[in-house]
Amino acid sequence: MDRPSRNTPIFKKAEEIYKALKTITNLFPEDNEYLKEIKTNLLGDSMIMMAKISGAEAVKLYDIKMENAAIIRKAARDILVDGNTLEMFGFEDAKYYKIVRDLVEEFKILFAEWVEGFNPKHFIVDDWGLFNPPGISRDYIQRDDELNFLYEDDE
């Protein structure tokens, strides 16, 4: 099933990060347990990024989009942090990780632009208070007309 989110620049960049990580982590020595664990984390984080982009693209709700965005940011940052440990754990070709770092920096720009495109008017009050649009408190009383977007057809 082809999802429209797969055609977005941010998804394509996340996929590019996954492919680069897959290539680089395939160079890890198979007998190194530490690097095996790091490989699992790196590939998992990159898959989370793609899944959460798709999840955010599939909904209208601002708070769900922002929640997915926060998870994506954490995964991307974890990819950068895990890269710092490769040489320490015996990966002789750690210099190739610069490719991943550069891709994550490119991703960061696309990510910021993508998040700026979230419609803050498409919200249901998050009573946890974490992902409400700017200026909306967790005890905000939402008017019925603010929910009209729920009944609009997707473009």
Side-chain angles (χ1 to χ4, degrees), residues 60-78:
K60 289 182 181 182
L61 292 174
Y62 180 85
D63 66 315
I64 302 299
K65 288 181 176 289
M66 288 302 289
E67 182 176 332
N68 281 304
I71 294 167
I72 293 164
R73 185 182 82 160
K74 181 189 181 316
R77 291 171 63 156
D78 286 349

Side-chain angles (χ1 to χ4, degrees), residues 1 8 23 44 47-48 68 74 82 87 107 127 146 151:
M1 178 178 184
T8 61
T23 300
M47 287 187 271
I48 285 170
N68 281 304
K74 181 189 181 316
D82 283 349
E87 196 170 349
F107 178 86
D127 57 2
E146 291 177 314
Y151 309 107

Side-chain angles (χ1 to χ4, degrees), residues 17-153:
I17 291 168
Y18 171 79
K19 289 175 182 176
L21 284 169
K22 185 84 170 146
T23 300
I24 290 169
T25 59
N26 282 339
L27 300 173
F28 289 1
E30 290 186 29
D31 61 343
N32 187 316
E33 293 302 317
Y34 294 113
L35 289 176
K36 277 186 190 177
E37 184 69 27
I38 292 171
K39 178 179 182 173
T40 300
N41 293 341
L42 290 169
L43 295 177
D45 282 332
S46 63
M47 287 187 271
I48 285 170
M49 289 168 62
M50 291 184 288
K52 293 301 177 181
I53 291 167
S54 293
E57 287 290 307
V59 297
K60 289 182 181 182
L61 292 174
Y62 180 85
D63 66 315
I64 302 299
K65 288 181 176 289
M66 288 302 289
E67 182 176 332
N68 281 304
I71 294 167
I72 293 164
R73 185 182 82 160
K74 181 189 181 316
R77 291 171 63 156
D78 286 349
I79 287 170
L80 291 175
V81 170
D82 283 349
N84 293 335
T85 64
L86 296 180
E87 196 170 349
M88 179 175 63
F89 288 122
F91 181 49
E92 295 175 1
D93 293 318
K95 63 184 177 256
Y96 294 122
Y97 207 76
K98 182 174 179 349
I99 295 166
V100 174
R101 290 185 183 292
D102 291 345
L103 290 171
V104 171
E105 288 302 315
E106 293 168 11
F107 178 86
K108 192 187 304 183
I109 294 166
L110 294 171
F111 176 84
E113 292 168 353
W114 179 66
V115 170
E116 287 170 358
F118 294 171
N119 189 338
K121 293 181 180 178
H122 289 180
F123 75 98
I124 294 176
V125 175
D126 174 13
D127 57 2
W128 289 75
L130 192 56
F131 294 114
N132 285 319
I136 303 297
S137 65
R138 65 181 180 81
D139 57 352
Y140 177 84
I141 306 298
Q142 196 158 17
R143 300 182 322 263
D144 289 341
D145 67 322
E146 291 177 314
L147 300 174
N148 289 343
F149 73 91
L150 293 171
Y151 309 107
E152 295 172 357
D153 289 332

